[in-house]
Amino acid sequence: MAHNNGARGPAFYFLAAFFALFVAFLYGPMLIIFVLSFQGPTGGLTFPMRGISTHWFADLLSSSRYGDLGGAFQRSIMLGFLSMSITAVVCLFAGLAFRRKFWGAGPLFYLSIISLVIPGILLGLGISQLFQLLGLHLHWWLSALGAHLSWTLPFGLLIMFAVLNRFDPSWEEAARDAGATPRQILAYVTIPILFPGLIAVALFGFTLSYDELPRSLLTVGGLNTLPIEISNMTTNVTTPALYAIGTMTSALSFLAITTAFIAIAVIQKRRARAHGDQAE
Amino acid sequence: MSGSSSGSSSSATPYLQVAPLALIMIAMVGIPLATVVLLSFWESDGILIYPTYNLQNYIDVLTSPVTLSLFLKTLKFASITLIFTAVIGFTCSYFLVFHVRNLRWQIALFLLCTIPFWTSNIIRMVSWIPFLGREGLFNTLLIEAGIISQPLDVLLFSDFSVILTYIHLYTLFMIVPIFNSMAKINPNLIEAARDAGASSFQILRYIIIPLSKTGLALGTIFVVTLVMGDFFAVRVMSGGQSASVVSAMKNEIDQLYYPQASAMAVLLVIVVLIMVSAVLRIVDIRSELAR
Amino acid sequence: MSDQSRIDIQNVTKTFGGINAVSEVDLSIEGGAYCCMIGPSGCGKTTLLRMIAGHETPTSGTISIGGQDVTSLKTGSRGTALMFQNYALFPHLTITDNVAFSLKVRGQSADARREAAREMLDRVQLLHLANRVPSELSGGQQQRVALARALITNPKVLLLDEPLSALDEFLRLRMRVELKRLQSDLGITFVHVTHTQPEAIALADQVVVMDHGVIEQAASPREIYNKPHSPYVARFMGGQNVLGGTVERVSDNTAIALSPDGTRYDLPDANDVKPGDKVRFSVRRDRISLADKAQDASNSAFGQVTNIEYQGTFVKVSLDTGQREEFIAYVDDEEYFAAPKEVGQKVYATWKPHLNHLLRGTNDSAGMPHE
């Protein structure tokens, strides 16, 4: 509350220290496993470091001891992209629909919220048993994708609500007034204006799916996703290979986050500053 | 007056737009949940499932002394986690909103708190192992500092490590909504209160906390439902020594006792929904979100 | 041009959820006229404007532009262009592309439409900002971009929804002049929605005063100001005192009305009332003299001064006459300072009998006059 008085009081420094401690608490352990993943070949799960190497990364990629990591990784990436695309498209249109009153809007909203708050494994149980009852086989690209969507869609919808809060419907009316067809309005006005928000929705769609565990466990069928493989490793693997996989998957998450942030920043910057003739 | 409906777009439009979401949510949430409820009335001997429609699973679950202790344990985890995440989340948000003056810094530090949300929970959980183990960083530091002579066993594979993990994983679910509530507080209100002679503590007590209620309530819903729905952290971080409702459910599922697990699940969902609606009763989130 | 841009609204009603936003409205706007629609918020003026633009469809009734029935014609193809209250400039496009937007959706090539947009921007003196995006422009500049965007299709009718409300006082007066000049240059019909009386009076050839979804009066500004139709119009447009009484007798086209406090008033042009009728009439505030003593018992008001406000060119004196509404006199400053008044003092307000104007309309609501 140092807002109006110029000097920063002791409260500021106390709170700043508290905040710094929290950030250390949030990132510290992660940084430690990143460091430990570069253990030498004789190194263990804790300090001290016995040399620095990429031994455990190589071990992870070459050894068959860790199961089908490569396949699991591929499947998780595919699932991530599928969830991302479906979430972005479905939530865009659903968000637009929720601006108007329609029959069933309330129940659908509550169903989405319920999907967020109930234990994921329970939903996985429901989906797997439903498939069983219908005589369908579980597949990562069908039942697990559905389970992931039950998680990414409600999040995407809530973000769309926040994004649309700042979307002025008179932009669409102005386009209609200029003679634009509904399709032109969508392509030239609605989607371009909402694009930074859609990137955020896509980021949620990808990362939430890529890291999803409880909903996947019972719905994935015969071929596992990466988080399931990693969760199995937590009980079986007692070498720094565990940290190496952690470092790799986190690096991928950070890559996704950075890409999304940069894309949003670039768009915002373009909109805030003078620029030459615009591409179509 | 500026009528919200538009002349030329048809009234069928919202239904077409929302249909994909509705179909997926019904197929992947609505019907599966109904399946769980249905299943909870069936019978299983660990090999096959028989459609029978009786209340035996519920009677078993409700009369078992284990159930009560599981629920109590889960509620204990939830309430301790809630207290810590709320205090940490409130303090950090308060710092960000009222002490960081530069908007750029405010956004950057806020993002710093939320980035882990987009990374793997499993990895964030695993990352505590080199920290807390018998030969972990923490014990080593304590021994070298001469505070203890024997490594502490209680740090890893205990209720302590489970709760620590929860706090680590879920505090950001408190920070985000509380930050949003606080950021909406008009700074003039605080100046007005200061003008009226209120101390910093009184401003906190009578202005900021009441106006952050919505954020606290939303955060509470997130944290409580996340803790109560967890089975993985409690299993890994307690080294299998602790159990919660869902981890017990997971064991039954692993042994193919689906109907029993379903009955437990239905009870848990009822408890969770009661708690969520209790929070909603205290704070009208829907109307305040629209502000 | 002028016949093509004539607007005829016939018996139009618009219902939102069972409530009439606009009820059975009939209105003709001459081609090439500047029409201002005015009324308190919720009076239906914006809905009527949006129906002319095609953003709302009338529940019943017809709207014609240039003699062609456009009631169910798509917006964007009826020769109208709407300028939005907040301008609604597309934030992701340069102002050139904003202005060129309607040409783009009509399939014009990029070069042709940008050329046309530049010409239009030149016309509103913004060519030097052609590559900026809206967030980099001031409010006045944004308003001119919105104007250019609306005009690029050569509309027959330009519809303006509170176009000046987002500007500060100085800019508002300047843009008012520019709008009027633009309209006479283009010779097309402007329909301008506002809630500010001086704006309507200054700009319009035709003022349409609305309340509760109906048109109270549609006439020239001078007529609206001098001959308001109802107590509501008199109060809403401001500058009038509204008085009431019961008709005693009618002779020679003049009715004599007796007020509850016993004062008699001569109402000219009032042969359509008969003895016993309750009537309301108005008298302009700037035509009133204040005196310490009564000269003539009729056509006057007696009361206690409750407030005195110096307004520069005149002095506003409020009287409590024991009636529901306070009585206000705008006294020329020279005349006032020749005989200043004090709060609490009792004074007589007098005026010439021919200044009384009988209010035939029944709408007696208070309005919210902007002084």
Side-chain angles (χ1 to χ4, degrees), chain A residues 1-2 4 6 8 12 15-16 18-19 22-23 25-27 29-30 32-33 36 45-47 90 93-94 96-97 100 102-103 108-112 115 117-119 121-122 125-127 129-130 133 146 150 153-155 176 203-204 207-208 211 213-214 217-218 227 231 234 242-243 246 249-250 253-254 257 261, chain B residues 6 8-11 14-15 17-18 20-22 24-25 27-29 31-33 35-36 39 42 88 91-92 94-96 98-99 101 109 111-113 115-120 122-124 126-128 130-131 135 137 164 168 171 175 190-191 194 203 208 225 229 231-232 246 250 253 258 262 265 268-269 286:
Chain A
M1 201 126 16
N4 40 5
R8 288 182 151 149
F12 171 82
L15 289 168
F18 184 92
F19 185 78
F22 172 69
V23 171
F25 169 72
L26 204 55
Y27 287 92
M30 251 170 140
I32 288 172
I33 70 153
L36 285 174
L45 277 176
T46 57
F47 285 108
V90 168
F93 286 105
L96 293 176
R100 288 164 69 175
F102 61 89
W103 185 86
L108 183 57
F109 177 74
Y110 283 115
L111 188 61
S112 306
S115 181
V117 300
I118 58 164
I121 185 137
L122 193 159
L125 174 67
I127 293 173
Q129 291 308 300
L130 176 64
L133 289 177
S150 76
L153 288 180
F155 261 106
R176 193 178 305 129
L203 173 66
F204 274 84
T207 56
L208 290 182
D211 295 324
L213 175 68
L217 269 176
L218 301 175
S231 77
T234 58
L242 182 61
Y243 301 152
T249 185
S250 302
S253 296
F254 280 111
I257 298 164
F261 279 19
Chain B
S6 43
S8 50
S9 86
S10 112
S11 59
Y15 294 100
Q17 288 173 327
V18 87
L21 178 77
I24 297 174
M25 292 313 286
M28 291 298 164
V29 182
I31 300 176
L33 284 182
T35 309
V36 171
L39 214 59
W42 290 9
I88 298 171
T91 312
C92 289
Y94 179 81
F95 171 72
L96 288 177
F98 295 107
H99 281 275
R101 296 170 204 174
L109 292 177
L111 285 178
L112 192 66
C113 295
I115 280 172
F117 175 74
W118 291 300
T119 64
S120 167
I122 304 170
I123 302 303
R124 291 172 66 205
V126 164
S127 65
W128 281 104
F131 213 91
E135 282 122 41
L137 214 56
L164 186 76
H168 181 231
T171 300
I175 293 186
I190 288 155
E191 286 177 7
R194 198 185 297 283
I203 292 172
I208 295 173
T225 56
F231 66 93
F232 192 68
V246 180
K250 176 72 169 58
I253 291 170
Y258 293 137
S262 300
L268 178 70
V269 169
R286 264 169 77 88

Side-chain angles (χ1 to χ4, degrees), chain B residues 170-185:
Chain B
Y170 302 144
T171 300
L172 64 92
F173 287 91
M174 274 289 182
I175 293 186
V176 173
I178 297 177
F179 178 88
N180 277 332
S181 289
M182 276 189 189
K184 282 185 196 159
I185 299 176

Side-chain angles (χ1 to χ4, degrees), chain B residues 46-263:
Chain B
I47 302 159
L48 284 171
I49 295 170
Y50 309 99
T52 50
Y53 304 103
N54 62 42
L55 292 171
Q56 196 53 47
N57 296 318
Y58 287 98
I59 294 166
D60 289 349
V61 170
L62 287 172
T63 51
S64 157
V66 181
T67 309
L68 185 64
S69 70
L70 281 174
F71 268 95
L72 287 179
K73 186 89 179 185
T74 309
L75 287 175
K76 180 187 134 191
F77 283 144
S79 46
I80 296 175
T81 309
L82 179 63
I83 291 167
F84 277 94
T85 54
V87 170
I88 298 171
F90 187 89
T91 312
C92 289
S93 304
Y94 179 81
F95 171 72
L96 288 177
V97 173
F98 295 107
H99 281 275
V100 179
R101 296 170 204 174
N102 183 318
L103 189 66
R104 255 169 212 285
W105 271 102
Q106 202 181 71
I107 294 170
L109 292 177
F110 176 71
L111 285 178
L112 192 66
C113 295
T114 53
I115 280 172
F117 175 74
W118 291 300
T119 64
S120 167
N121 273 0
I122 304 170
I123 302 303
R124 291 172 66 205
M125 193 185 318
V126 164
S127 65
W128 281 104
I129 292 171
F131 213 91
L132 296 177
R134 262 187 81 87
E135 282 122 41
L137 214 56
F138 203 62
N139 270 326
T140 316
L141 284 175
L142 289 181
I143 289 170
E144 277 179 13
I147 296 170
I148 52 170
S149 54
Q150 288 288 310
L152 292 172
D153 283 326
V154 73
L155 290 179
L156 189 59
F157 303 136
S158 60
D159 286 357
F160 169 79
S161 54
V162 173
I163 290 170
L164 186 76
T165 308
Y166 284 149
I167 297 170
H168 181 231
L169 292 179
Y170 302 144
T171 300
L172 64 92
F173 287 91
M174 274 289 182
I175 293 186
V176 173
I178 297 177
F179 178 88
N180 277 332
S181 289
M182 276 189 189
K184 282 185 196 159
I185 299 176
N186 184 343
N188 288 347
L189 285 182
I190 288 155
E191 286 177 7
R194 198 185 297 283
D195 249 21
S199 67
S200 288
F201 175 76
Q202 285 171 320
I203 292 172
L204 186 69
R205 170 75 185 77
Y206 295 113
I207 313 265
I208 295 173
I209 292 180
L211 290 176
S212 309
K213 236 173 29 184
T214 316
L216 269 165
L218 270 177
T220 301
I221 291 176
F222 277 128
V223 170
V224 167
T225 56
L226 283 165
V227 171
M228 294 191 72
D230 168 77
F231 66 93
F232 192 68
V234 73
R235 182 187 273 187
V236 172
M237 296 310 283
S238 77
Q241 294 172 35
S242 256
S244 68
V245 177
V246 180
S247 75
M249 217 176 88
K250 176 72 169 58
N251 287 338
E252 284 177 336
I253 291 170
D254 290 344
Q255 296 162 42
L256 304 184
Y257 285 112
Y258 293 137
Q260 289 85 337
S262 300

